[in-house]
PDB file of all heavy atoms in Angstrom:
ATOM      1  N   GLU G 386       0.989 -10.242  -7.967  1.00  0.00           N
ATOM      2  CA  GLU G 386       1.719 -11.203  -7.137  1.00  0.00           C
ATOM      3  C   GLU G 386       3.228 -11.192  -7.357  1.00  0.00           C
ATOM      4  O   GLU G 386       3.946 -11.848  -6.667  1.00  0.00           O
ATOM      5  CB  GLU G 386       1.133 -12.596  -7.215  1.00  0.00           C
ATOM      6  CG  GLU G 386       1.304 -13.278  -8.508  1.00  0.00           C
ATOM      7  CD  GLU G 386       0.866 -14.727  -8.402  1.00  0.00           C
ATOM      8  OE1 GLU G 386       0.560 -15.203  -7.310  1.00  0.00           O
ATOM      9  OE2 GLU G 386       0.843 -15.404  -9.437  1.00  0.00           O
ATOM     10  N   ILE G 387       3.641 -10.365  -8.346  1.00  0.00           N
ATOM     11  CA  ILE G 387       5.085 -10.100  -8.435  1.00  0.00           C
ATOM     12  C   ILE G 387       5.251  -8.684  -7.890  1.00  0.00           C
ATOM     13  O   ILE G 387       5.012  -7.700  -8.587  1.00  0.00           O
ATOM     14  CB  ILE G 387       5.584 -10.219  -9.877  1.00  0.00           C
ATOM     15  CG1 ILE G 387       5.317 -11.662 -10.372  1.00  0.00           C
ATOM     16  CG2 ILE G 387       7.092  -9.891  -9.940  1.00  0.00           C
ATOM     17  CD1 ILE G 387       5.534 -11.831 -11.857  1.00  0.00           C
ATOM     18  N   SER G 388       5.614  -8.614  -6.616  1.00  0.00           N
ATOM     19  CA  SER G 388       5.628  -7.351  -5.906  1.00  0.00           C
ATOM     20  C   SER G 388       7.029  -6.765  -6.043  1.00  0.00           C
ATOM     21  O   SER G 388       7.892  -7.011  -5.203  1.00  0.00           O
ATOM     22  CB  SER G 388       5.219  -7.620  -4.454  1.00  0.00           C
ATOM     23  OG  SER G 388       4.935  -6.412  -3.814  1.00  0.00           O
ATOM     24  N   SER G 389       7.268  -6.041  -7.122  1.00  0.00           N
ATOM     25  CA  SER G 389       8.625  -5.744  -7.558  1.00  0.00           C
ATOM     26  C   SER G 389       9.521  -5.108  -6.443  1.00  0.00           C
ATOM     27  O   SER G 389      10.672  -5.485  -6.321  1.00  0.00           O
ATOM     28  CB  SER G 389       8.606  -4.771  -8.733  1.00  0.00           C
ATOM     29  OG  SER G 389       7.769  -5.256  -9.739  1.00  0.00           O
ATOM     30  N   ASN G 390       8.980  -4.154  -5.733  1.00  0.00           N
ATOM     31  CA  ASN G 390       9.829  -3.446  -4.789  1.00  0.00           C
ATOM     32  C   ASN G 390      10.173  -4.248  -3.545  1.00  0.00           C
ATOM     33  O   ASN G 390      11.011  -3.827  -2.740  1.00  0.00           O
ATOM     34  CB  ASN G 390       9.193  -2.117  -4.385  1.00  0.00           C
ATOM     35  CG  ASN G 390       9.354  -1.066  -5.442  1.00  0.00           C
ATOM     36  OD1 ASN G 390      10.463  -0.626  -5.734  1.00  0.00           O
ATOM     37  ND2 ASN G 390       8.243  -0.682  -6.080  1.00  0.00           N
ATOM     38  N   PHE G 391       9.534  -5.385  -3.361  1.00  0.00           N
ATOM     39  CA  PHE G 391       9.880  -6.261  -2.230  1.00  0.00           C
ATOM     40  C   PHE G 391      11.376  -6.643  -2.350  1.00  0.00           C
ATOM     41  O   PHE G 391      12.046  -6.872  -1.343  1.00  0.00           O
ATOM     42  CB  PHE G 391       8.972  -7.475  -2.273  1.00  0.00           C
ATOM     43  CG  PHE G 391       8.981  -8.284  -0.971  1.00  0.00           C
ATOM     44  CD1 PHE G 391       8.676  -7.663   0.228  1.00  0.00           C
ATOM     45  CD2 PHE G 391       9.230  -9.635  -0.967  1.00  0.00           C
ATOM     46  CE1 PHE G 391       8.646  -8.372   1.418  1.00  0.00           C
ATOM     47  CE2 PHE G 391       9.242 -10.362   0.209  1.00  0.00           C
ATOM     48  CZ  PHE G 391       8.951  -9.738   1.398  1.00  0.00           C
ATOM     49  N   GLU G 392      11.854  -6.677  -3.599  1.00  0.00           N
ATOM     50  CA  GLU G 392      13.288  -6.998  -3.833  1.00  0.00           C
ATOM     51  C   GLU G 392      14.186  -6.004  -3.059  1.00  0.00           C
ATOM     52  O   GLU G 392      15.244  -6.377  -2.571  1.00  0.00           O
ATOM     53  CB  GLU G 392      13.576  -6.975  -5.325  1.00  0.00           C
ATOM     54  CG  GLU G 392      15.053  -7.158  -5.649  1.00  0.00           C
ATOM     55  CD  GLU G 392      15.319  -7.486  -7.111  1.00  0.00           C
ATOM     56  OE1 GLU G 392      14.382  -7.902  -7.803  1.00  0.00           O
ATOM     57  OE2 GLU G 392      16.467  -7.321  -7.529  1.00  0.00           O
ATOM     58  N   ARG G 393      13.762  -4.738  -3.025  1.00  0.00           N
ATOM     59  CA  ARG G 393      14.593  -3.752  -2.285  1.00  0.00           C
ATOM     60  C   ARG G 393      14.680  -4.077  -0.800  1.00  0.00           C
ATOM     61  O   ARG G 393      15.718  -3.950  -0.191  1.00  0.00           O
ATOM     62  CB  ARG G 393      14.047  -2.344  -2.511  1.00  0.00           C
ATOM     63  CG  ARG G 393      14.283  -1.782  -3.899  1.00  0.00           C
ATOM     64  CD  ARG G 393      13.922  -0.324  -4.002  1.00  0.00           C
ATOM     65  NE  ARG G 393      14.568   0.321  -5.122  1.00  0.00           N
ATOM     66  CZ  ARG G 393      13.930   0.773  -6.213  1.00  0.00           C
ATOM     67  NH1 ARG G 393      12.635   0.621  -6.350  1.00  0.00           N
ATOM     68  NH2 ARG G 393      14.614   1.333  -7.200  1.00  0.00           N
ATOM     69  N   LEU G 394      13.558  -4.519  -0.223  1.00  0.00           N
ATOM     70  CA  LEU G 394      13.576  -4.886   1.188  1.00  0.00           C
ATOM     71  C   LEU G 394      14.412  -6.149   1.382  1.00  0.00           C
ATOM     72  O   LEU G 394      15.203  -6.232   2.344  1.00  0.00           O
ATOM     73  CB  LEU G 394      12.139  -5.092   1.704  1.00  0.00           C
ATOM     74  CG  LEU G 394      12.103  -5.523   3.181  1.00  0.00           C
ATOM     75  CD1 LEU G 394      12.626  -4.431   4.083  1.00  0.00           C
ATOM     76  CD2 LEU G 394      10.654  -5.879   3.567  1.00  0.00           C
ATOM     77  N   LEU G 395      14.273  -7.115   0.478  1.00  0.00           N
ATOM     78  CA  LEU G 395      15.040  -8.365   0.612  1.00  0.00           C
ATOM     79  C   LEU G 395      16.542  -8.031   0.602  1.00  0.00           C
ATOM     80  O   LEU G 395      17.311  -8.581   1.389  1.00  0.00           O
ATOM     81  CB  LEU G 395      14.716  -9.319  -0.572  1.00  0.00           C
ATOM     82  CG  LEU G 395      13.299  -9.904  -0.529  1.00  0.00           C
ATOM     83  CD1 LEU G 395      13.062 -10.740  -1.800  1.00  0.00           C
ATOM     84  CD2 LEU G 395      13.089 -10.764   0.721  1.00  0.00           C
ATOM     85  N   PHE G 396      16.929  -7.112  -0.283  1.00  0.00           N
ATOM     86  CA  PHE G 396      18.340  -6.726  -0.357  1.00  0.00           C
ATOM     87  C   PHE G 396      18.835  -6.183   1.001  1.00  0.00           C
ATOM     88  O   PHE G 396      19.903  -6.573   1.483  1.00  0.00           O
ATOM     89  CB  PHE G 396      18.466  -5.625  -1.425  1.00  0.00           C
ATOM     90  CG  PHE G 396      19.861  -5.190  -1.743  1.00  0.00           C
ATOM     91  CD1 PHE G 396      20.795  -6.087  -2.273  1.00  0.00           C
ATOM     92  CD2 PHE G 396      20.242  -3.884  -1.576  1.00  0.00           C
ATOM     93  CE1 PHE G 396      22.095  -5.686  -2.583  1.00  0.00           C
ATOM     94  CE2 PHE G 396      21.525  -3.446  -1.894  1.00  0.00           C
ATOM     95  CZ  PHE G 396      22.454  -4.330  -2.400  1.00  0.00           C
ATOM     96  N   GLU G 397      18.003  -5.423   1.644  1.00  0.00           N
ATOM     97  CA  GLU G 397      18.367  -4.849   2.939  1.00  0.00           C
ATOM     98  C   GLU G 397      18.460  -5.953   4.019  1.00  0.00           C
ATOM     99  O   GLU G 397      19.425  -5.999   4.773  1.00  0.00           O
ATOM    100  CB  GLU G 397      17.353  -3.793   3.377  1.00  0.00           C
ATOM    101  CG  GLU G 397      17.350  -2.548   2.554  1.00  0.00           C
ATOM    102  CD  GLU G 397      18.710  -1.832   2.560  1.00  0.00           C
ATOM    103  OE1 GLU G 397      19.178  -1.426   3.623  1.00  0.00           O
ATOM    104  OE2 GLU G 397      19.307  -1.704   1.457  1.00  0.00           O
ATOM    105  N   VAL G 398      17.441  -6.844   4.075  1.00  0.00           N
ATOM    106  CA  VAL G 398      17.455  -7.841   5.149  1.00  0.00           C
ATOM    107  C   VAL G 398      18.455  -8.952   4.881  1.00  0.00           C
ATOM    108  O   VAL G 398      18.817  -9.729   5.807  1.00  0.00           O
ATOM    109  CB  VAL G 398      16.053  -8.400   5.456  1.00  0.00           C
ATOM    110  CG1 VAL G 398      15.090  -7.320   5.851  1.00  0.00           C
ATOM    111  CG2 VAL G 398      15.495  -9.204   4.261  1.00  0.00           C
ATOM    112  N   LEU G 399      18.976  -9.009   3.652  1.00  0.00           N
ATOM    113  CA  LEU G 399      20.065  -9.977   3.360  1.00  0.00           C
ATOM    114  C   LEU G 399      21.448  -9.281   3.500  1.00  0.00           C
ATOM    115  O   LEU G 399      22.429  -9.735   2.917  1.00  0.00           O
ATOM    116  CB  LEU G 399      19.910 -10.530   1.952  1.00  0.00           C
ATOM    117  CG  LEU G 399      18.673 -11.392   1.696  1.00  0.00           C
ATOM    118  CD1 LEU G 399      18.486 -11.701   0.203  1.00  0.00           C
ATOM    119  CD2 LEU G 399      18.776 -12.713   2.476  1.00  0.00           C
ATOM    120  N   ASP G 400      21.456  -8.162   4.257  1.00  0.00           N
ATOM    121  CA  ASP G 400      22.716  -7.416   4.473  1.00  0.00           C
ATOM    122  C   ASP G 400      23.337  -7.016   3.114  1.00  0.00           C
ATOM    123  O   ASP G 400      24.559  -6.993   3.007  1.00  0.00           O
ATOM    124  CB  ASP G 400      23.728  -8.232   5.290  1.00  0.00           C
ATOM    125  CG  ASP G 400      23.241  -8.439   6.706  1.00  0.00           C
ATOM    126  OD1 ASP G 400      22.752  -7.430   7.302  1.00  0.00           O
ATOM    127  OD2 ASP G 400      23.315  -9.566   7.219  1.00  0.00           O
ATOM    128  N   ARG G 401      22.518  -6.725   2.158  1.00  0.00           N
ATOM    129  CA  ARG G 401      22.975  -6.248   0.862  1.00  0.00           C
ATOM    130  C   ARG G 401      23.902  -7.229   0.127  1.00  0.00           C
ATOM    131  O   ARG G 401      24.781  -6.832  -0.618  1.00  0.00           O
ATOM    132  CB  ARG G 401      23.653  -4.862   1.014  1.00  0.00           C
ATOM    133  CG  ARG G 401      22.679  -3.801   1.554  1.00  0.00           C
ATOM    134  CD  ARG G 401      23.216  -2.396   1.390  1.00  0.00           C
ATOM    135  NE  ARG G 401      22.093  -1.410   1.433  1.00  0.00           N
ATOM    136  CZ  ARG G 401      22.160  -0.207   0.896  1.00  0.00           C
ATOM    137  NH1 ARG G 401      23.281   0.194   0.317  1.00  0.00           N
ATOM    138  NH2 ARG G 401      21.122   0.590   0.925  1.00  0.00           N
ATOM    139  N   GLN G 402      23.671  -8.503   0.383  1.00  0.00           N
ATOM    140  CA  GLN G 402      24.452  -9.530  -0.299  1.00  0.00           C
ATOM    141  C   GLN G 402      23.755  -9.910  -1.616  1.00  0.00           C
ATOM    142  O   GLN G 402      22.819 -10.721  -1.646  1.00  0.00           O
ATOM    143  CB  GLN G 402      24.603 -10.780   0.592  1.00  0.00           C
ATOM    144  CG  GLN G 402      25.398 -10.523   1.847  1.00  0.00           C
ATOM    145  CD  GLN G 402      26.806 -10.006   1.545  1.00  0.00           C
ATOM    146  OE1 GLN G 402      27.545 -10.574   0.778  1.00  0.00           O
ATOM    147  NE2 GLN G 402      27.165  -8.891   2.160  1.00  0.00           N
ATOM    148  N   ALA G 403      24.216  -9.271  -2.722  1.00  0.00           N
ATOM    149  CA  ALA G 403      23.534  -9.452  -4.012  1.00  0.00           C
ATOM    150  C   ALA G 403      23.473 -10.907  -4.458  1.00  0.00           C
ATOM    151  O   ALA G 403      22.439 -11.342  -4.973  1.00  0.00           O
ATOM    152  CB  ALA G 403      24.221  -8.588  -5.084  1.00  0.00           C
ATOM    153  N   PRO G 404      24.508 -11.748  -4.250  1.00  0.00           N
ATOM    154  CA  PRO G 404      24.428 -13.153  -4.675  1.00  0.00           C
ATOM    155  C   PRO G 404      23.300 -13.905  -3.946  1.00  0.00           C
ATOM    156  O   PRO G 404      22.572 -14.715  -4.550  1.00  0.00           O
ATOM    157  CB  PRO G 404      25.769 -13.731  -4.300  1.00  0.00           C
ATOM    158  CG  PRO G 404      26.699 -12.560  -4.252  1.00  0.00           C
ATOM    159  CD  PRO G 404      25.872 -11.409  -3.753  1.00  0.00           C
TER     160      PRO G 404
END
Side-chain angles (χ1 to χ4, degrees):
E386 69 172 353
I387 300 167
S388 193
S389 309
N390 282 294
F391 196 54
E392 174 165 343
R393 287 189 160 110
L394 179 64
L395 293 175
F396 186 61
E397 293 299 301
V398 301
L399 294 170
D400 293 315
R401 298 193 158 204
Q402 295 302 308

